[in-house]
């Protein structure tokens, strides 16, 4: 949309942008008591208005895809929907907190994950986009910073299970690596130096997500199956 109205883009020199004939979005909460629509029903009803129109020159943006229903069913439905649209040539951008939906990027070559850095201490996003790596939702960490009782949060951590806790720890460590690289880059620019190659390039991050998904993947066979401010984003692989 910015390209069409000739606005400057926050992109590297040499970047190529596609031009879309149609742009569809499902954002916000359209529940309506008068029409007997829950949040989930409202989103499905809205998406049905443009599903058949998805094609090679279509951009579809879906915010918190199926986040208003059962997480397991919502993630499975979200994967199927993304696969359906990508198969028709559409470019798709999705934001989500659902771990199962984030994991889709590691097992489907047409998808790539991305996340936005988040400063847990300040409780605010860094607005640094990190392509190729999922992000943590930081739910327990943020709740702790906001003063929720520690004993309650310890119980929540135990209820998460070992695999989920380890996943969050790895994502947090990876987030720290990105933050350090970004700080080094900022210092280099401030000193008038030349940017160093990014040690956490998308390819490296993508390998991380795929290795993580493979370790957890036995129970996901048959699904399209890997996070900023905790939200991950999924997109078409036909990179321009």
């Amino acid at each position: 949309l910015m390209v069409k109205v000739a606005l400057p883009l926050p992109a590297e020199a040499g970047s190529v942008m596609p031009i879309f004939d149609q742009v569809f979005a499902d954002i916000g909460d359209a529940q309506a008591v008068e029409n007997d629509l829950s949040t989930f029903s409202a989103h499905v009803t809205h998406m049905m208005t443009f599903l058949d129109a998805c094609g090679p020159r279509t951009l579809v943006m879906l915010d918190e895809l199926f986040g208003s229903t059962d997480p397991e069913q919502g993630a499975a439905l979200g994967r199927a929907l993304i696969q359906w649209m990508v198969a028709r040539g559409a470019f798709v951008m999705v934001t989500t907190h659902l771990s199962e939906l984030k994991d889709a990027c590691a097992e489907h070559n047409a998808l790539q994950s991305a996340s936005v850095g988040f400063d847990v201490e300040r409780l605010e996003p860094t607005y640094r986009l990190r392509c190729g790596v999922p992000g943590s939702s930081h739910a327990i960490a943020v709740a702790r910073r906001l003063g929720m009782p520690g004993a309650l949060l310890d119980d929540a951590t135990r209820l998460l299970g070992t695999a989920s806790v380890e996943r969050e720890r790895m994502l947090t460590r990876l987030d720290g690596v990105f933050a350090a690289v970004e700080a080094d880059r900022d210092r280099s620019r401030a000193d008038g130096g030349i940017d160093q190659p990014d040690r956490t390039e998308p390819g490296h991050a993508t390998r991380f997500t795929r290795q993580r998904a493979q370790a957890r993947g036995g129970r996901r066979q048959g699904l399209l199956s890997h996070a900023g401010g905790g939200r991950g984003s999924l997109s078409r692989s036909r990179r321009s």
Side-chain angles (χ1 to χ4, degrees), residues 33-186:
V33 175
E34 63 274 20
N35 294 325
D36 194 27
L37 287 177
S38 66
T39 299
F40 173 75
S41 299
H43 283 295
V44 172
T45 300
H46 180 226
M47 283 186 276
M48 289 296 294
T49 64
F50 58 75
L51 281 184
D52 288 338
C54 291
R57 295 177 65 86
T58 302
L59 171 65
V60 182
M61 296 177 289
L62 305 172
D63 183 42
E64 294 291 357
L65 180 60
F66 298 134
S68 55
T69 188
D70 173 78
E72 185 175 2
Q73 294 187 40
L77 187 56
R79 287 174 177 168
L81 177 66
I82 293 167
Q83 186 177 27
W84 192 92
M85 290 188 291
V86 168
R88 284 158 178 74
F91 286 71
V92 186
M93 179 175 290
V94 176
T95 63
T96 183
H97 281 285
L98 300 177
S99 296
E100 297 292 322
L101 193 52
K102 295 177 188 178
D103 292 348
C105 296
E107 298 182 10
H108 198 294
N109 291 330
L111 306 176
Q112 180 179 359
S113 61
S115 59
V116 175
F118 186 78
D119 189 323
V120 179
E121 294 299 317
R122 296 183 179 180
L123 298 182
E124 60 185 27
T126 64
Y127 299 103
R128 295 292 185 92
L129 180 65
R130 297 163 178 177
C131 294
V133 62
S136 168
S137 291
H138 300 292
I140 293 179
V142 170
R144 192 180 301 278
R145 289 285 298 162
L146 293 175
M148 189 167 281
L152 185 156
L153 297 175
D154 290 342
D155 286 343
T157 300
R158 283 192 292 271
L159 290 171
L160 270 178
T162 303
S164 294
V165 171
E166 181 58 26
R167 180 181 188 274
E168 287 298 303
R169 287 174 179 168
M170 283 196 293
L171 290 177
T172 298
R173 288 196 293 268
L174 190 59
D175 190 68
V177 172
F178 267 94
V181 170
E182 289 164 355
D184 288 344
R185 186 184 302 135
D186 289 343

Side-chain angles (χ1 to χ4, degrees), residues 7-28:
L7 289 176
L9 297 177
E12 294 183 354
S15 297
V16 178
M17 298 296 295
I19 300 297
F20 299 106
D21 293 332
Q22 300 182 97
V23 178
F24 300 112
D26 183 70
I27 299 172

Side-chain angles (χ1 to χ4, degrees), residues 185-200:
R185 186 184 302 135
D186 289 343
R187 283 193 294 269
S188 177
R189 288 172 176 167
D191 295 339
I194 299 175
D195 288 349
Q196 297 298 314
D198 193 339
R199 299 192 301 272
T200 54

